[in-house]
Amino acid sequence: MFSVKQCHTLFLFMLLAGTAAAQIPGLPAAESNGSSATSAEAAKPEVIDITEIPVLAEQDAQYLRDITQQLQGKSGSKAIGKELNTIKRSVDALVLQASERQLKSLQLSGLESLSRHSRFLDWEIKQWEKRMQSAALPYSAATRDLAERQQRWATTREAAADVLSPILLRRMDELLAQIKSTQDSISKPLSELLLLSQQAAAVSARLHLATSAVNTRIDEIDGNLTTLDSENIFSVLFGNKNAEQTKFQDYFRSLNKGIQLESAFMTEFDRSTERTYLFYQVLGGLMLPLFLWISFVARKVLKTGGSLQNYRTTLTRPISAWLLLMVVGMLIIQLAGPLLRMTFLMLLAWIPVMRLQPEHVNRIFGRWVYLTAVFFFVNLLGIVFSQAPVIFRSLLLFNSLFMMATLGWLLYRSARLLNNSNNRRLLIMRGLVSLGVGVTAIALIANIAGNVSLTAMLNDALVKTAYMALFLFAVGNVVRAFTRFVFRSYAEKLVTHIQAAGGIIPVITRLFNAALVLFWLYGTLTVFRVYRPLMDTVGTVASFELGFGAFSISIGSIVVFAVSVYLSFWLAKTLRGMLKEDILPNMDLPRGVANSVSTMSYYFLLIAGLMVALTAAGFKVSQLAIVIGALSVGIGFGLQTVVNNFVSGLILMLERPIQPGDTVELSGTVGRVRDIGMRATTLTTAEGADVVVPNGMLLAEKMINWTLSNTQRRIDIPVGVAYGSDPRQVLEILEKVAHGTHGISKDPTPSVLFTGFGASSLDFSVRAWADTFDDSFQIRSSMAVNIYKALNEAGIEIPFPQQDLHIRSVQPGLFNPIQRESDETR
């Protein structure tokens, strides 16, 4: 053993020896400046500089100790393996349920439940793979790093074995042994994780086979809905029933297994959504007092009347509204969950749904909506007894007859209501009820003939469609009622202070109603087994290409382009209306900014929407560049005027010399600005004519804006009185008339001036201001009438022009006839 002093001396000697050895020609250094290496040499591991070997050896040894401590027991292979075993057991149970014999005994609802379960398990496997990769990542990174360090130290030892001291060589050997030991300790958990990954791949493959079998069976049933799959109903009801009991018992055993599998599905799904459920439960608990408080305040507000009277029933039933919205949230969480849970939630919401129907639904259907409970219950019984032909067919027959009778009565009731009022909603309801009668008749005929699959599907779909419509009616009514109550002050402000009664609330309402309709339509197409084949047909048609020489485009691209352009125009128009009517007028902005922002945002969205539409239709950026280049050439040659007007429109938007509502005069034309576009501005004259003025002309020519800084207009009325009138009296009369005329502004105050001596009158000028330009003409006329009346009452004459004729020479005898006539008259 070495003493401490000897170790220090030895270490110093090693450094000196290493420094000397570093000067030996041919021994690689860490860096080689000014030398070029071939690609083969560049691929070789880096050789450590001899002077850095002791320091790097100690650093790598510390790294090995750290990495061993960090990764020891951190693989989590046991927990991950336990999770995989749980998923594997669920997959095994589903595979057993997805056997050919079991699949043939299941109805569509059971098959759909298996399909949802398989999709959920596939999602769980993918999530497990992500967790496994996250757990294996530190080990794989450490393994790669250790391999690089091992190769570097081994290369260095081989290259410098002849020049290094035995102590350094022994230190390098010890370090290589430590690296090998660390690699061995890491390889075991990494191998365990890789083995689990292989097992997961096998489980995933089995799950995909089961999923394929379930989907194939669903497609088979959907494809055979129009074929007879059983005997006619009379043979079933009155035929041989010996084998029915055994078949029924087998079915109940299968049903029990299915319920167990569905329960396991619910447990797994609850485990995966545990945090989401917890958050939603806390949020729901906080919302209940809020709903109670809103209802308490609403009762007081409803006593004063107002527009919320249509929502009186909804606002005064807070518990039902809260429970319904809680169910909606849970259904959203359960969208990919078990069908049994979703069915239970829909049943739980039945009472709130019935209590919260809008007034127009209650007026049309009355208490007949409560019969949906009977249809729902009979439909569930049909699912339970689907393997007992007599009971099953009898339940289908009862449900069809009862629904047909109910819908027939509702059809008669709607016809009576239509005689009193031709309401659009009533017409839609009548059409849907008529369609329901037709579907029920088809189900009844199919049941009698022996097409049980079609009958069961139509009955189940009709019940679910009707209940889903009532459910969405209630949800929409609750959301609209509480939203309008909470934002009632804002809505009243919009209607009171904005010219066009607001755009935000109508747009949001239309979008919300459209979302409800689309959701109901999607659900209806799905339960009627139309959605999947419809999407397949749409995909086939959309992929059909139309060729024009070397150019080809698909029908889907054309439809996408048309829809994108329409949505762009709708979005741009809606946003402009909302900015112009609701948002910007309520902000303290300079004059004309609101109109400029709304107009520029409109055109910006149009251009952006057009670009998105072209991209969605399949046009590439390079193709768009060619089109833009061609447009640039066209602009350079023949569209200078259009570009000039367009740029002038941008300048008008930015400088804002005019805005809609201003009264301007251009080239002798006086009119009010109605609209400022990007190319032209529209003026409305006093005669009612619309004058379209190019924006370039507004900037190039002299334009008078009578309302740019204010809306006041000065009125000038010249007045002449006869010579001999008292000027001071005239001034007093005119000032009194000016101040007393209705509509004359007090600031600036009216003024009367004595402007001079005319040829036949003393000239005065009355100057007054009208508050608005539009009223100035009427006020001027009224003031002129008042002036004439006041001067007439004061006895002051308003002379007309007179001339005195002085005759210097007259022809003799010229006035004789006149004198003679005058004498005769006397």
Side-chain angles (χ1 to χ4, degrees), residues 304-604:
T304 62
S307 60
L308 294 174
Q309 294 299 319
N310 294 332
Y311 301 103
R312 173 181 291 274
T313 303
T314 305
L315 291 173
T316 54
R317 294 176 177 176
I319 302 296
S320 296
W322 172 80
L323 181 59
L324 180 61
L325 293 184
M326 286 293 295
V327 170
V328 170
M330 295 178 71
L331 286 173
I332 293 174
I333 299 175
Q334 289 281 335
L335 280 178
L339 280 176
L340 187 62
R341 175 75 61 78
M342 296 187 70
T343 303
F344 173 75
L345 290 174
M346 295 292 284
L347 288 175
L348 179 65
W350 184 83
I351 294 179
V353 166
M354 296 301 110
R355 286 173 55 84
L356 297 172
Q357 287 301 310
E359 291 297 329
H360 63 271
V361 175
N362 290 328
R363 185 171 60 255
I364 296 172
F365 295 118
R367 298 186 179 275
W368 289 89
V369 293
Y370 293 102
L371 292 177
T372 52
V374 178
F375 302 142
F376 222 114
F377 179 72
V378 174
N379 193 55
L380 289 177
L381 286 179
I383 295 175
V384 173
F385 294 99
S386 61
Q387 294 302 309
V390 175
I391 301 177
F392 183 53
R393 299 285 288 277
S394 300
L395 290 172
L396 291 179
L397 181 63
F398 170 79
N399 222 7
S400 297
L401 291 173
F402 195 23
M403 279 194 293
M404 180 173 287
T406 303
L407 293 175
W409 168 250
L410 291 176
L411 196 62
Y412 171 73
R413 178 186 175 91
S414 62
R416 291 176 55 188
L417 292 175
L418 279 173
N419 292 332
N420 298 327
S421 63
N422 192 11
N423 188 282
R424 185 171 61 89
R425 291 177 177 175
L426 192 58
L427 289 172
I428 295 175
M429 293 287 184
R430 177 181 171 84
L432 293 176
V433 172
S434 301
L435 189 60
V437 171
V439 172
T440 309
I442 295 174
L444 182 62
I445 296 172
N447 189 15
I448 295 174
N451 193 341
V452 181
S453 299
L454 180 61
T455 304
M457 186 274 291
L458 291 178
N459 277 348
D460 180 71
L462 194 59
V463 171
K464 289 181 178 178
T465 299
Y467 183 71
M468 185 164 47
L470 295 174
F471 184 86
L472 294 177
F473 272 134
V475 171
N477 193 38
V478 170
V479 172
R480 282 189 290 269
F482 282 85
T483 303
R484 292 198 178 190
F485 177 78
V486 172
F487 296 101
R488 66 189 186 279
S489 59
Y490 175 70
E492 291 173 355
K493 182 179 179 181
L494 286 178
V495 175
T496 304
H497 294 91
I498 297 179
Q499 296 178 356
I504 293 180
I505 293 178
V507 168
I508 295 177
T509 302
R510 286 195 296 269
L511 290 177
F512 178 69
N513 293 337
L516 293 180
V517 172
L518 290 176
F519 186 82
W520 177 82
L521 186 60
Y522 166 76
T524 300
L525 294 177
T526 301
V527 295
F528 274 101
R529 318 303 304 168
V530 177
Y531 182 77
R532 291 176 62 181
L534 180 62
M535 289 296 101
D536 293 340
T537 303
V538 170
T540 303
V541 174
S543 61
F544 181 77
E545 293 188 352
L546 301 174
F548 305 95
F551 176 78
S552 64
I553 187 170
S554 64
I555 295 180
S557 299
I558 297 175
V559 174
V560 169
F561 176 78
V563 173
S564 300
V565 170
Y566 172 78
L567 290 178
S568 300
F569 272 95
W570 179 85
L571 181 61
K573 181 180 178 182
T574 301
L575 182 61
R576 180 172 65 174
M578 293 169 60
L579 290 173
K580 188 176 181 180
E581 298 178 4
D582 297 333
I583 300 176
L584 298 177
N586 295 325
M587 302 173 64
D588 187 14
L589 298 174
R591 177 186 180 276
V593 170
N595 179 73
S596 299
V597 170
S598 60
T599 304
M600 293 180 69
S601 64
Y602 173 77
Y603 286 100
F604 172 78

Side-chain angles (χ1 to χ4, degrees), residues 84-97 117 121-122 125 202-208 210 261 268:
L84 181 61
N85 289 332
T86 302
I87 297 175
K88 184 176 179 297
R89 285 193 296 269
S90 300
V91 171
D92 292 339
L94 186 138
V95 169
L96 290 176
Q97 193 71 12
H117 195 177
L121 289 175
D122 183 67
I125 291 175
V203 172
S204 180
R206 296 183 63 213
L207 178 63
H208 289 164
L261 185 63
E268 297 166 10

